[in-house]
Amino acid sequence: MQAKKRYLILLSAGTCLVLLFYFGGVQLPSSGRNRHDRSHNGYRPDQPWPHFSDPLQQFLLWDQPDTEEYNIHISPRQKRDVNTSVYKGKRCRMDSCFDFSACKRNDFKVYVYPQQKGEKISESYQNILSIVEGSRFYTTDPGQACLFILSLDTLDRDSLSPQYVHNLKTKVQNLHLWNNGRNHLIFNLYSGTWPDYTEDLGFDIGQAMLAKASISTEIFRPNFDVSIPLFSKEHPRTGGDRGYLKYNSIPPFRKYMLVFKGKRYLTGIGSDTRNALYHVHNQEDVVLLTTCKHGKDWQKHKDARCEKDNAEYDKYDYREMLHNSTFCLVPRGRRLGSFRFLEALQAACVPVMLSNGWELPFSEIINWNTAAVIGDERLLLQIPSTVRSIHQDKILALRQQTQFLWEAYFSSVEKIVLTTLEIIQDRVLQQESRSTLMWNSHPGGLFALPQYSAHLGDFPFYYATLGEYSSQSTNRSHVFMWPFHASSCQSFYSYPIIVLWNCDKPLPAKHRWPATSVPVIVIEGENKVMSSRFLPYETIVTDAVLSLDEDTVLSTTEVDFAFTVWQSFPERLVGYPARSHFWDSNKERWGYTSKWTNDYSMVLTGAAIYHRYYHFLYTNFLPASLKGMVDQLANCEDILMNFLVSAVTKLPPIKVTQKKQYKETMMGQSSRASRWADPDHFAQRQTCMNKFASWFGGMPLVHSQMRLDPVLFKDQVSILRKKYRDIERL
């Protein structure tokens, strides 16, 4: 009996051991070759058991290599953890590979290494360095720098490219400030070369951050690297054209539903998706065209479809397709990124992304679900039905967001570079970082400076979003105020009058100032310069600022009506005297005119209401060169403010009704003491127009033919029924 029990126990133990071997619960020691074969076939010792709720994986043949097609099924986190072939600092994050101490001492300053003699540098990289050096972040003192940028050209790391810089590893290591890349930022557009196009830059970046195009989620280090778009060498350095969405047509459908026109790769990486596009092409509203006709040896590798594809490819004009399609397919090329991405954004053609594993540009701050359709290369055949199912209201919202993102962050190299720096600054100065709303709504993160305030309600752009109303009060500022009783003006009853005394003459005695029912605060300009007019004085405590010149004559009724208008348009300049700009084709330059015509593009700040945030933006956003020009000429500060506000809003100022005598008052000044009588005054303003347009990268001013009058203005009704009746009596 005891022997029988022992046999049963041994039999059970043996059966369990066999089952454990069979299901892999116990591993026998194996040779190196066997271990290699298991790994080669997709086996991972640390890979978790599959969840049955996960998507089914494709079957792999026993001899199928561990290729990119297999790797796309591994999560991005697993890829980052196992990949060690690209660079050593793959685990770097801001708290482990960035020194915050330098930034806390001197704020966020950026140092660019001096260019070394004999080093070649591409035009695109030179543009990037020039933009950084012209920004408000730039410093020439490395001791004050929070961030360092190499003067060595790292944009193109394709060893077959003529722009490739050789021996970069040695050159970088010899930089005395390199410090293993700590607090350094490296810009890169192209990495790797034929046939693999890996993301290896050819040198160890150490602990440096990457601002890289076509970066994969496998390589991307969240909240450390910055994904930037792939842009061509023809991309505008500054300014850039506006988006092509002119009308918000309903329904928002165009001639084509989905289009693509580009190269088809017959072999190598990036060929699979583009080779399959012909399955979806229907020659009607889904037009997906490819050509094999590129490269020197294309005929050696052409397949049976090449001749037909090439012939149909030549029938269609790419620009016509781009501007007449609702959706634009953006498949990966040799690398993950594509020029088609920016082209689609500008054309208001909603991008349909087909590039698995691509970390989309500025993904840290931009919610791409509001501007693009994120597809899957494995589900290509479902793309047409997917885009057809999107409601027309959603399509219109997507198209509008493409235009905002294009104009805010992508229309020029300058915006791409500055957005990159602002993202890093937000990480460094977390207590002053922008919210998601600020990045993803008008006017965008470049014009919404968080150093101004942490509360969105303090900016003039978010009242509608927050459901708030602008401040019910106004400050006045500048050289001298025409005296009137503030109590007679409904909107300004308890806030002070601020007088900026920029005159060379001494201040008048206190008893000579007119009596007012509100306090009068006098600020003596320290440097007696024009730009001091727009300093963000702490004494300005209200949202609205009524700016007046010393010779302006306005009634309280006119001011009250202008303030009422401003409350509906708090982000814009609202005022009285208007001016305009025009293009002089003979001189090929911008012109300035003060003629009273049917349109205008500027409202002079000698009599205007605007939000106090523009004082902060004027002081902290505009470069010292433009403000220095204004101060040197003692002129053009009002033009520069109009340029700034129009660049932010993309809208014209608003002109309101004024009394007839205002024109005669301004034009009738013949005193030599008046700057309006200076014969050089008009010529200086012409020069300012062109200097400002050059810095902004184009002309931001917008023409308007709208003037806002009070209701019943000039109507043939009783004057007693009119709220602003005094305006008509003047």
Side-chain angles (χ1 to χ4, degrees):
M1 195 68 183
Q2 295 296 328
K4 192 178 289 187
K5 286 184 179 180
R6 286 197 294 269
Y7 289 137
L8 287 174
I9 292 172
L10 289 174
L11 180 62
S12 299
T15 303
C16 292
L17 191 59
V18 170
L19 290 174
L20 287 173
F21 284 140
Y22 181 78
F23 289 109
V26 175
Q27 298 179 12
L28 293 175
S30 57
S31 64
R33 181 179 181 275
N34 289 334
R35 287 194 300 269
H36 173 75
D37 290 343
R38 282 176 174 261
S39 177
H40 192 67
N41 288 320
Y43 174 78
R44 298 290 186 273
D46 59 342
Q47 189 171 0
W49 286 94
H51 297 281
F52 291 103
S53 59
D54 291 343
L56 293 176
Q57 298 184 3
Q58 297 178 354
F59 289 102
L60 293 176
L61 300 178
W62 68 273
D63 59 346
Q64 182 174 341
D66 189 1
T67 60
E68 181 185 10
E69 286 72 14
Y70 170 76
N71 282 332
I72 58 178
H73 300 284
I74 303 176
S75 71
R77 183 180 298 275
Q78 286 176 304
K79 288 185 178 183
R80 284 195 296 267
D81 290 342
V82 302
N83 191 328
T84 59
S85 63
V86 178
Y87 46 82
K88 298 177 182 178
K90 63 186 180 65
R91 297 187 182 276
C92 272
R93 299 296 184 267
M94 292 296 291
D95 56 354
S96 60
C97 296
F98 194 90
D99 182 8
F100 289 87
S101 60
C103 310
K104 293 178 180 178
R105 291 194 305 268
N106 304 301
D107 207 356
F108 185 75
K109 295 296 181 182
V110 182
Y111 175 78
V112 177
Y113 281 82
Q115 296 188 23
Q116 302 176 12
K117 294 182 179 179
E119 286 293 341
K120 64 179 181 180
I121 184 170
S122 64
E123 181 181 355
S124 296
Y125 197 64
Q126 183 63 64
N127 287 339
I128 290 176
L129 298 184
S130 299
I131 290 166
V132 175
E133 291 171 350
S135 72
R136 68 181 187 279
F137 303 115
Y138 179 64
T139 179
T140 57
D141 182 3
Q144 294 184 350
C146 172
L147 190 67
F148 298 82
I149 296 178
L150 303 178
S151 61
L152 297 168
D153 191 344
T154 57
L155 277 190
D156 194 340
R157 299 305 297 156
D158 185 339
S159 58
L160 299 179
S161 170
Q163 303 295 336
Y164 182 80
V165 177
H166 295 275
N167 302 320
L168 192 57
K169 178 179 180 180
T170 303
K171 295 175 181 178
V172 169
Q173 294 297 332
N174 289 336
L175 297 173
H176 68 284
L177 297 173
W178 175 242
N179 191 24
N180 194 31
R182 201 170 184 85
N183 287 45
H184 281 66
L185 176 66
I186 295 174
F187 286 92
N188 176 255
L189 294 181
Y190 307 99
S191 61
T193 188
W194 171 268
D196 299 324
Y197 293 95
T198 66
E199 299 187 59
D200 188 3
L201 300 188
F203 69 100
D204 182 14
I205 68 170
Q207 297 179 347
M209 292 181 285
L210 276 178
K212 190 180 187 308
S214 305
I215 191 170
S216 68
T217 53
E218 176 184 353
I219 301 302
F220 182 76
R221 298 166 292 181
N223 297 315
F224 191 72
D225 294 329
V226 180
S227 177
I228 63 175
L230 181 65
F231 58 87
S232 67
K233 61 181 179 181
E234 291 81 19
H235 202 58
R237 180 183 178 275
T238 59
D241 294 332
R242 297 195 63 178
Y244 296 143
L245 181 62
K246 303 300 181 185
Y247 307 102
N248 293 322
S249 57
I250 300 292
F253 300 117
R254 295 177 172 179
K255 179 179 178 180
Y256 303 107
M257 175 59 69
L258 178 67
V259 300
F260 171 75
K261 187 177 183 182
K263 298 176 182 178
R264 178 161 69 90
Y265 305 110
L266 300 173
T267 60
I269 191 170
S271 60
D272 291 350
T273 300
R274 296 196 181 197
N275 278 335
L277 294 182
Y278 77 99
H279 291 295
V280 184
H281 171 66
N282 66 12
Q283 298 184 350
E284 295 177 0
D285 63 341
V286 178
V287 181
L288 308 178
L289 308 171
T290 59
T291 180
C292 313
K293 198 174 181 179
H294 58 88
K296 298 179 180 179
D297 301 328
W298 72 272
Q299 290 185 336
K300 295 181 181 179
H301 304 284
K302 68 178 182 179
D303 56 20
R305 291 202 338 265
C306 277
E307 296 296 339
K308 180 180 178 181
D309 286 354
N310 293 344
E312 193 162 9
Y313 184 89
D314 295 333
K315 293 179 182 178
Y316 292 83
D317 179 74
Y318 175 65
R319 292 294 170 186
E320 190 271 337
M321 292 171 60
L322 191 66
H323 297 163
N324 290 281
S325 180
T326 305
F327 296 92
C328 284
L329 198 66
V330 184
R332 65 160 298 161
R334 291 299 192 192
R335 298 175 177 88
L336 293 172
S338 169
F339 294 133
R340 298 291 182 268
F341 179 69
L342 291 186
E343 293 169 352
L345 281 183
Q346 183 180 15
C349 186
V350 181
V352 179
M353 314 304 300
L354 280 184
S355 184
N356 290 12
W358 182 22
E359 189 74 27
L360 294 181
F362 301 140
S363 55
E364 183 177 338
I365 60 167
I366 295 177
N367 179 10
W368 282 111
N369 290 322
T370 64
V373 177
I374 314 299
D376 190 319
E377 293 180 68
R378 298 166 294 180
L379 303 177
L380 172 64
L381 299 181
Q382 298 181 17
I383 294 297
S385 59
T386 299
V387 297
R388 291 184 198 280
S389 67
I390 300 177
H391 194 271
Q392 61 184 25
D393 293 343
K394 177 65 173 177
I395 292 175
L396 180 59
L398 289 168
R399 293 180 63 191
Q400 290 174 334
Q401 192 68 358
T402 63
Q403 300 302 273
F404 160 68
L405 294 176
W406 164 258
E407 294 178 5
Y409 307 120
F410 298 108
S411 63
S412 67
V413 179
E414 179 184 46
K415 291 179 181 177
I416 294 172
V417 173
L418 293 181
T419 302
T420 302
L421 296 181
E422 294 283 3
I423 289 173
I424 298 174
Q425 183 189 35
D426 274 8
R427 297 173 187 166
V428 173
L429 308 176
Q430 295 181 8
Q431 72 280 5
E432 297 178 351
S433 61
R434 298 165 179 80
S435 66
T436 301
L437 176 64
M438 296 171 76
W439 283 113
N440 289 275
S441 60
H442 183 79
L446 297 186
F447 286 122
L449 304 185
Q451 294 79 11
Y452 172 71
S453 174
H455 178 50
L456 292 176
D458 291 336
F459 294 85
F461 318 115
Y462 310 112
Y463 291 132
T465 304
L466 299 175
E468 296 182 0
Y469 200 51
S470 55
S471 175
Q472 295 286 334
S473 52
T474 299
N475 281 329
R476 314 167 180 202
S477 64
H478 196 43
V479 181
F480 190 75
M481 298 296 297
W482 175 67
F484 66 91
H485 292 289
S487 60
S488 65
C489 188
Q490 299 177 17
S491 301
F492 323 112
Y493 53 85
S494 60
Y495 291 93
I497 297 172
I498 300 175
V499 179
L500 177 62
W501 191 266
N502 264 351
C503 298
D504 294 328
K505 298 179 180 179
L507 275 171
K510 189 173 182 179
H511 69 274
R512 297 187 60 187
W513 289 88
T516 61
S517 58
V518 296
V520 176
I521 300 175
V522 181
I523 300 176
E524 286 197 76
E526 295 181 5
N527 300 319
K528 309 294 184 182
V529 294
M530 299 301 293
S531 292
S532 60
R533 173 183 195 140
F534 298 128
L535 288 174
Y537 295 105
E538 293 182 358
T539 49
I540 301 177
V541 295
T542 57
D543 288 343
V545 175
L546 170 61
S547 177
L548 299 175
D549 281 346
E550 74 279 11
D551 51 5
T552 301
V553 180
L554 290 175
S555 70
T556 56
T557 302
E558 290 173 297
V559 173
D560 194 51
F561 173 66
F563 178 70
T564 302
V565 171
W566 177 85
Q567 286 180 303
S568 297
F569 306 94
E571 77 281 9
R572 293 159 80 172
L573 274 170
V574 176
Y576 306 91
R579 299 291 184 264
S580 187
H581 75 283
F582 63 94
W583 177 254
D584 189 334
S585 57
N586 294 326
K587 297 181 180 179
E588 295 187 346
R589 64 196 303 259
W590 293 105
Y592 170 90
T593 179
S594 59
K595 293 181 179 179
W596 283 43
T597 60
N598 286 325
D599 65 17
Y600 64 94
S601 58
M602 290 174 279
V603 165
L604 302 186
T605 55
I609 299 177
Y610 51 83
H611 198 282
R612 64 172 174 170
Y613 174 64
Y614 290 118
H615 277 227
F616 184 86
L617 205 59
Y618 184 100
T619 302
N620 294 280
F621 178 81
L622 295 175
S625 58
L626 296 189
K627 292 180 288 187
M629 179 181 182
V630 166
D631 296 338
Q632 183 179 3
L633 296 176
N635 196 352
C636 305
E637 82 288 349
D638 48 358
I639 297 178
L640 184 55
M641 177 60 85
N642 274 271
F643 267 69
L644 177 62
V645 177
S646 291
V648 172
T649 63
K650 307 293 190 297
L651 295 169
I654 295 177
K655 178 177 171 59
V656 294
T657 305
Q658 65 188 54
K659 59 186 179 182
K660 295 180 180 179
Q661 292 94 322
Y662 189 86
K663 178 180 179 181
E664 287 74 21
T665 302
M666 295 296 296
M667 299 304 174
Q669 296 183 29
S670 57
S671 171
R672 280 291 174 184
S674 173
R675 59 175 177 164
W676 297 95
D678 188 349
D680 294 330
H681 180 78
F682 191 80
Q684 289 174 350
R685 293 173 83 79
Q686 299 270 19
T687 302
C688 289
M689 292 280 293
N690 290 275
K691 180 70 173 180
F692 298 163
S694 175
W695 185 84
F696 279 93
M699 175 52 71
L701 298 178
V702 182
H703 280 103
S704 175
Q705 296 181 339
M706 180 182 71
R707 188 187 74 184
L708 295 187
D709 300 335
V711 177
L712 302 180
F713 181 72
K714 297 294 185 181
D715 284 358
Q716 299 300 315
V717 297
S718 171
I719 196 74
L720 298 178
R721 297 173 61 184
K722 301 180 180 182
K723 180 178 180 180
Y724 299 101
R725 62 181 72 97
D726 292 340
I727 295 180
E728 294 188 33
R729 294 173 177 171
L730 298 173

